Amino acid sequence: PACLRLIDTRIQDDKLHFHVYFRSWDAWAGYPANMGAIQYLKEYMAQEIGVEPGESICYSKGLHYYGYVVPYVLKRGMKL
């Protein structure tokens, strides 16, 4: 099943805001790539409808990392 479940949009104060919900989210590989892509999408949509991009509020039921990334996380000095 898809991890990204919904992007709810709202225009308020001439800004396009996103509420994003992921059922499951890979903190190491998925989170950075998803946030970048969602931001590009919001900027594109805002430009097309003639408003400014606003906030993105993101939720996840299950933020996680996979075992194979542990050495990379520790190398960066992050705590697990």
Side-chain angles (χ1 to χ4, degrees):
C3 294
L4 174 61
R5 302 307 269 183
L6 83 102
I7 299 177
D8 186 28
T9 61
R10 175 174 298 203
I11 297 173
Q12 185 174 7
D13 300 325
D14 293 322
K15 291 183 180 179
L16 177 63
H17 301 283
F18 276 10
H19 285 259
V20 182
Y21 177 71
F22 282 85
R23 174 191 58 79
S24 177
W25 211 353
D26 177 359
W28 183 258
Y31 176 80
N34 294 153
M35 290 305 295
I38 289 166
Q39 181 64 28
Y40 280 133
L41 173 64
K42 183 175 53 179
E43 290 173 5
Y44 172 75
M45 288 175 64
Q47 181 179 15
E48 288 294 308
I49 59 179
V51 297
E52 293 294 317
E55 293 182 316
S56 290
I57 299 172
C58 302
Y59 309 86
S60 179
K61 182 178 177 181
L63 184 66
H64 62 274
Y65 63 90
Y66 293 101
Y68 73 89
V69 303
V70 170
Y72 304 109
V73 171
L74 295 175
K75 254 187 183 176
R76 290 198 169 231
M78 297 176 177
K79 294 184 180 189
L80 301 175

